[in-house]
Amino acid sequence: MTAFDLTIIGLGYVGMPLAKEATAAGLRVAGLDVDPRKVEALNAGRSYIDDLTDADLDAMLTGGFTATLDASVLARSRTIVICVPTPLDEDHRPDLSAVEGATRTVAEHLQAGTLVVLESTTWPGTTDELARPILEQSGLVAGEDFHLAFSPERIDPGNPKFGLRNTPKVVGGFTSACKERAAAFYAQFVERVVPVSGTREAEMAKLLENTYRHVNIALVNEMAIFCDELGVNLWEAIEAASTKPFGFQKFLPGPGVGGHCIPVDPSYLSYTVRKLGYPFRFVELAQEINERMPSYVVARVQRLLNRARKPVNGSRVLLLGVTYKPDIADERETPAIPVAEALLELGADLSFCDPYVKEWAVEGTQIPREEDLAEAVAAADVVVLLQQHSAFDLDVVEERAPLVLDTRGVLATSERVERL
């Protein structure tokens, strides 16, 4: 039977770029997933990942990549990397059920000498306290019979400059030998590997990166609210501040935060701190501010319509861009959803325009999709620019929309156009 250099568990936005680079480096790679639709699509050469084209996938298949539902492939793999989702549950607590399930599957097939790496974002201590005991139920001992490491994913969907290969890879091992083995593995297809002393440090590095962004985004979001009341152009102030060549990094306000990292990862860190008996106040305050931005957007829409002597109820509201980032189809945790929910609750006649999203439903309600941007903005009572896809002709929006709320600061302000 075929042996594999690498098996990746979880064939999503983290697992597939890893599979692509490893295959390109000459490794024989298998992808394991529980979703038969994903496995079927990948083996047929159909990509469902923004950063992976069908041509990329064809090259991977030619290079020996295969997707499978059969977990027995793990017993024939020199390295196993776990890239499964780590969301929050209904109570905003870490949900590690996918990690636990994947780790148990690995334990059932684990062979001596295998390297097991967890890439899923999680709280510090997960690799040692949760993954290791499950893996050792195999009868093998971490650091002696098999190698165990954590290496946080740093995938930024849609980023044309930085991908897996040229983004430094942080690696922490359960033992020094585990660290060295994991570092050597990633060095085969990543330009720079950054070893740290242990798995907890690697886990914390990921949470620190995203908590830093989370807190600074919350700062400018709160400033956007009071700068509007003060009559200050925050967007201009930010651009002016960003000319300072040291001590400042530019963050921009928006309708809320989306994707997996910013809305989720800081909650993993807050959860860890709360286990010590006290709150992580910076994170929880930032969460509160960022989560209220969709409501603030809706309040600003109400204000625009009021000035035109129109109620939200019955007004035609067009949302431009409903993904969480520009120029990708990823809708995970998009702030467009709470914005749409609140507008529907107020009775708005809602529609959307997004070149990357063909169908969109909110709370079970199918939202009509507008194909023609010019006709859609002209027919709306108010347009809300939530995501600045490059496919949007912004001149058309400025010229034809009767009222616009620009949440991204990309339109010229006028009597009809307001920035957040």
Side-chain angles (χ1 to χ4, degrees):
M1 299 179 74
T2 304
F4 291 93
D5 299 302
L6 167 65
T7 291
I8 299 164
I9 303 178
L11 303 180
Y13 80 102
V14 175
M16 288 312 298
L18 175 61
K20 175 186 172 183
E21 294 298 341
T23 303
L27 277 65
R28 188 163 185 84
V29 181
L32 177 63
D33 204 283
V34 295
D35 188 342
R37 295 170 299 177
K38 288 184 177 181
V39 170
E40 180 183 357
L42 291 173
N43 287 331
R46 300 191 308 272
S47 175
Y48 46 82
I49 303 295
D50 285 303
D51 292 340
L52 188 74
T53 66
D54 288 351
D56 291 332
L57 188 51
D58 284 340
M60 291 170 61
L61 294 168
T62 301
F65 172 76
T66 185
T68 182
L69 299 167
D70 184 3
S72 68
V73 70
L74 298 170
R76 295 176 273 124
S77 303
R78 177 171 168 77
T79 297
I80 299 168
V81 178
I82 299 171
C83 302
V84 296
T86 49
L88 300 175
D89 64 17
E90 293 180 356
D91 297 321
H92 275 240
R93 295 176 303 186
D95 179 1
L96 296 182
S97 57
V99 170
E100 292 178 16
T103 307
R104 287 194 182 94
T105 301
V106 173
E108 293 170 3
H109 301 274
L110 188 60
Q111 302 294 309
T114 304
L115 166 65
V116 180
V117 183
L118 178 61
E119 285 205 5
S120 304
T121 303
T122 185
W123 46 267
T126 300
T127 306
D128 182 27
E129 298 169 9
L130 187 148
R132 182 175 63 85
I134 294 175
L135 293 170
E136 290 184 342
Q137 289 175 8
S138 65
L140 302 176
V141 178
E144 297 179 15
D145 303 313
F146 70 95
H147 294 94
L148 178 62
F150 182 85
S151 180
E153 61 89 2
R154 280 176 160 175
I155 300 297
D156 185 18
N159 191 321
K161 184 176 181 181
F162 291 106
L164 188 143
R165 176 173 289 277
N166 65 346
T167 300
K169 199 81 171 79
V170 174
V171 174
F174 176 62
T175 65
S176 294
C178 293
K179 175 180 66 178
E180 292 169 5
R181 170 76 182 274
F185 163 71
Y186 283 110
Q188 296 175 91
F189 49 87
V190 176
E191 292 175 4
R192 181 187 173 201
V193 176
V194 183
V196 293
S197 60
T199 56
R200 283 175 170 79
E201 287 71 23
E203 291 160 338
M204 181 60 82
K206 172 64 174 179
L207 297 182
L208 176 59
E209 294 167 14
N210 288 327
T211 300
Y212 170 82
R213 293 170 60 202
H214 181 59
V215 169
N216 281 281
I217 290 169
L219 171 65
V220 293
N221 276 338
E222 188 163 42
M223 292 184 76
I225 295 172
F226 67 71
C227 279
D228 173 61
E229 296 184 22
L230 290 172
V232 175
N233 186 332
L234 175 63
W235 302 89
E236 187 175 347
I238 291 172
E239 292 303 322
S242 68
T243 62
K244 185 179 180 181
F246 54 89
F248 182 83
Q249 182 176 356
K250 181 169 75 173
F251 290 86
L252 297 173
V257 292
H260 174 270
C261 293
I262 303 301
V264 176
D265 293 359
S267 293
Y268 273 66
L269 187 51
S270 178
Y271 169 80
T272 303
V273 175
R274 278 196 171 274
K275 290 195 298 182
L276 300 176
Y278 48 87
F280 191 176
R281 288 179 291 175
F282 263 115
V283 164
E284 293 174 12
L285 178 60
Q287 195 89 10
E288 177 187 330
I289 293 169
N290 287 334
E291 286 181 353
R292 80 179 183 186
M293 289 308 292
S295 296
Y296 177 66
V297 168
V298 173
R300 291 287 297 273
V301 171
Q302 287 180 294
R303 191 176 79 182
L304 276 172
L305 288 170
N306 282 341
R307 288 177 182 171
R309 299 187 176 183
K310 294 181 179 181
V312 177
N313 191 356
S315 289
R316 292 164 296 182
V317 181
L318 175 67
L319 304 182
L320 294 187
V322 297
T323 60
Y324 92 90
K325 284 186 67 177
D327 299 331
I328 64 172
D330 200 332
E331 301 172 47
R332 287 173 302 160
E333 306 294 334
T334 173
I337 291 177
V339 168
E341 288 174 347
L343 288 169
L344 288 172
E345 181 70 22
L346 292 171
D349 180 4
L350 200 61
S351 61
F352 82 100
C353 183
D354 194 309
Y356 297 94
V357 179
K358 304 306 179 186
E359 292 185 354
W360 194 49
V362 176
E363 288 189 322
T365 300
Q366 202 71 28
I367 309 300
R369 182 178 188 267
E370 302 290 350
E371 296 282 351
D372 189 295
L373 177 68
E375 290 183 5
V377 297
D381 292 307
V382 62
V383 175
V384 186
L385 178 62
L386 295 176
Q387 202 53 263
Q388 70 276 33
H389 295 311
S390 57
F392 289 148
D393 188 332
L394 299 182
D395 290 337
V396 167
V397 178
E398 291 176 354
E399 294 166 4
R400 303 198 62 175
L403 293 171
V404 184
L405 178 63
D406 172 16
T407 71
R408 296 297 178 178
V410 294
L411 301 177
T413 56
S414 67
E415 290 184 357
R416 295 180 294 108
V417 180
E418 282 191 8
R419 287 181 176 179
L420 191 63

